[in-house]
Amino acid sequence: MNANDSMCVLRERKQQAFNAACCDFVINHDIEAIARKLELNGTMLRNMLNPNQPHVLKPVVLASISRVSGDYSIVNTLFADDGVVTVPLPEVEGELNFLQRVLKLNAHSGELSSDALAMCTAERLPRSKKRKTLAKAQAALGNLVLLINDLEHRTTGLQPLVQMGTDFLANGAPMPGLA
């Protein structure tokens, strides 16, 4: 019986968090513009995001509005208690090299550290500040995923062997017959 009670409490808490995330989404985004991109009626989309309306936000519509807006806060709210975080990969405008990506990651980390320090001294944390900090963390995670992807591509196949060989020769390795 206790398992059923705790499951209902979890369900209620998750529903409240979902409702709050939907309300925040409506406040932070132009719903009419998103609806036009998805070829939906703006009022219908707004009603889907309103917990007081009978319209239900379906998973396909949720995925579409997240992709169009670039805001995955509703999805992350749903998965938060399960230990899962979605990471949108940023659009790569120009290929950054490994060092630039590491420096960008350090910049994101510095901003998050600054926010954390400000939160420690604040009496209360407004939802808008929380959402902005989460957006910075998402950007840092997206950059980190691209950094990991870059590392994976650098360490597979024949390329690392060729790079090591050229580094070995360039650094003064004796060549047979020429020494």
Side-chain angles (χ1 to χ4, degrees):
M1 185 66 180
N2 288 341
N4 289 339
D5 290 340
S6 64
M7 183 57 127
C8 290
V9 170
L10 173 67
R11 198 176 293 159
E12 183 178 331
R13 190 175 67 231
K14 193 173 281 262
Q15 185 66 49
Q16 289 172 349
F18 176 76
N19 292 347
C22 288
C23 291
D24 287 346
F25 189 89
V26 171
I27 291 169
N28 295 328
H29 296 284
D30 183 3
I31 300 301
E32 294 294 326
I34 293 172
R36 278 191 302 273
K37 289 179 183 176
L38 297 175
E39 298 177 358
L40 292 173
N41 182 341
T43 305
M44 181 63 80
L45 182 58
R46 190 173 282 103
N47 287 342
M48 287 181 197
L49 291 165
N50 185 347
N52 297 324
Q53 293 292 323
H55 301 288
V56 177
L57 181 62
K58 296 187 178 178
V60 174
V61 176
L62 175 58
S64 298
I65 65 172
S66 296
R67 185 180 315 111
V68 167
S69 68
D71 183 354
Y72 291 84
S73 59
I74 299 174
V75 176
N76 283 328
T77 300
L78 289 173
F79 290 130
D81 291 336
D82 301 326
V84 177
V85 177
T86 59
V87 180
L89 293 177
E91 304 256 342
V92 182
E93 295 163 0
E95 280 297 317
L96 297 177
N97 66 28
F98 183 73
L99 181 60
Q100 290 170 327
R101 201 161 301 287
V102 169
L103 290 173
K104 191 171 184 178
L105 181 62
N106 283 334
H108 287 302
S109 298
E111 289 178 22
L112 287 172
S113 297
S114 174
D115 285 356
L117 185 61
M119 285 180 211
C120 288
T121 58
E123 290 183 24
R124 63 184 279 288
L125 179 65
R127 258 195 333 212
S128 62
K129 179 72 172 168
K130 174 187 166 189
R131 294 285 175 213
K132 288 177 184 175
T133 303
L134 285 174
K136 288 178 188 178
Q138 286 291 330
L141 284 175
N143 186 52
L144 186 59
V145 168
L146 289 175
L147 179 68
I148 291 168
N149 189 37
D150 188 33
L151 279 172
E152 287 291 326
H153 283 92
R154 288 175 184 257
T155 57
T156 58
L158 186 62
Q159 183 182 4
L161 294 174
V162 173
Q163 285 178 342
M164 286 188 303
T166 55
D167 288 344
F168 183 67
L169 291 174
N171 290 325
M175 296 194 60
L178 296 177

